[in-house]
Amino acid sequence: MDLCLSSELREAPCTPDGCLEPPAEARSLQEDGTSRPPGDSNKIEPSLHSLQKFVPTDYASYTQERYLFAGTKIVIQESIESYGAVVWPGATALCQYLEEHTEELNLQDAKVLEIGAGPGLVSIVASILGAQVTATDLPDVLGNLQYNLLKNTLKRAAHLPEVRELVWGESLEQHFPKSTFYYDYVLASDVVYHHYFLDKLLTTMAYLCQPGTVLLWANKFRFSTDYEFLDKFKQVFDTTLLAEFPESSVKIFKGILKWD
């Protein structure tokens, strides 16, 4: 089974408007890990530099975390200064599921969009497994996301993943018109936690799904509001529990949008 090759960063509760308060083990990992400013042109190969359209946020420190999925070593630049720059348990669980069910899911050349891609691990794995991936997140996350995607998929994946801004619930028809954009899979991991945009998240999930689209959602269940969201999710999607990881409290669900 493929594993994260470095110590796991355990999560601390946060909101999109606040900074993470790093747990002790995460602070120790940051101090011991490789740290450098983002977007340093001396550190980025010319081929990557020319493709990098978004500038990584200038966090005080980054660490290089190593993972192994699909027989490929993956290095993710992370920072505990932002929720969107850390790989959380739901992401590693979803990567494991994609890897173990690649043929069943028929990911080769499938059109995939990831909601809240963060540092990009799930999008990287989906790309390596052959999918045509669009990775989305908030503007301040896109620079580090694109850096990680390019670093890990260039010359490794048949389709170089695309990076796009997606603010949940805002200008969806303008930026992702249904007449132009169709996805076989919509992926999401640990997008449900203690924040104020859960209704907009559900609206976005439903909007991106058309007939034939499969939504795969992995989440660590931390708060009562997570289960409340799950109840609302089941009202909108025909929902199947695909996998559970009791050691990390992660569940993976398949959702098919209900059509009246």
Side-chain angles (χ1 to χ4, degrees):
M1 181 176 68
D2 291 325
L3 302 168
C4 170
L5 301 180
S6 61
S7 300
E8 178 184 355
L9 290 177
R10 294 176 173 83
E11 67 283 349
C14 60
T15 70
D17 298 323
C19 294
L20 288 172
E21 177 63 30
E25 58 267 43
R27 291 196 295 270
S28 174
L29 179 61
Q30 181 184 18
E31 291 164 2
D32 294 338
T34 302
S35 175
R36 64 171 180 80
D40 185 342
S41 60
N42 293 326
K43 298 291 185 179
I44 303 176
E45 294 87 341
S47 57
L48 294 184
H49 186 75
S50 64
L51 294 170
Q52 183 88 34
K53 297 180 180 178
F54 300 98
V55 179
T57 300
D58 190 13
Y59 297 122
S61 182
Y62 281 89
T63 59
Q64 307 295 312
E65 304 300 330
R66 290 165 173 77
Y67 301 85
L68 178 64
F69 286 103
T72 303
K73 292 181 181 179
I74 299 169
V75 180
I76 300 292
Q77 178 172 272
E78 302 184 34
S79 174
I80 57 174
E81 295 180 55
S82 167
Y83 181 93
V86 176
V87 173
W88 299 98
T92 54
L94 186 53
C95 288
Q96 181 180 330
Y97 185 86
L98 294 178
E99 177 186 48
E100 293 177 352
H101 297 82
T102 302
E103 293 186 7
E104 174 188 338
L105 297 171
N106 193 23
L107 290 177
Q108 190 69 40
D109 298 324
K111 294 183 179 179
V112 172
L113 180 140
E114 184 182 6
I115 297 174
L121 181 62
V122 173
S123 286
I124 290 166
V125 171
S127 296
I128 291 172
L129 292 172
Q132 303 178 57
V133 175
T134 300
T136 70
D137 214 309
L138 296 172
D140 64 308
V141 176
L142 299 183
N144 190 53
L145 169 60
Q146 186 173 55
Y147 173 83
N148 285 327
L149 292 176
L150 290 172
K151 186 75 173 179
N152 289 280
T153 63
L154 195 62
K155 300 180 181 179
R156 287 182 172 183
H159 308 285
L160 199 63
E162 180 184 7
V163 175
R164 291 177 63 90
E165 176 184 334
L166 174 57
V167 180
W168 298 340
E170 295 187 12
S171 304
L172 296 176
E173 181 61 39
Q174 177 183 348
H175 297 300
F176 295 88
K178 290 179 180 288
S179 60
T180 305
F181 294 92
Y182 172 84
Y183 300 101
D184 299 297
Y185 291 96
V186 173
L187 307 179
S189 65
D190 275 327
V191 290
V192 176
Y193 55 100
H194 189 58
H195 63 72
Y196 302 105
F197 306 100
L198 293 177
D199 288 342
K200 290 186 176 182
L201 169 61
L202 187 57
T203 297
T204 302
M205 287 176 161
Y207 174 83
L208 292 170
C209 291
Q210 299 188 50
T213 301
V214 175
L215 174 64
L216 298 178
W217 167 42
N219 222 90
K220 179 178 175 70
F221 281 76
R222 307 166 177 86
F223 311 110
S224 60
T225 50
D226 300 347
Y227 290 95
E228 292 171 8
F229 179 88
L230 177 58
D231 290 338
K232 293 181 179 180
F233 182 87
K234 290 179 177 178
Q235 295 174 17
V236 178
F237 291 89
D238 290 320
T239 307
T240 303
L241 176 62
L242 296 177
E244 287 189 84
F245 300 81
E247 69 282 359
S248 59
S249 301
V250 172
K251 303 176 190 292
I252 300 179
F253 295 96
K254 178 176 78 171
I256 304 294
L257 188 65
K258 294 180 179 180
W259 297 90
D260 296 329

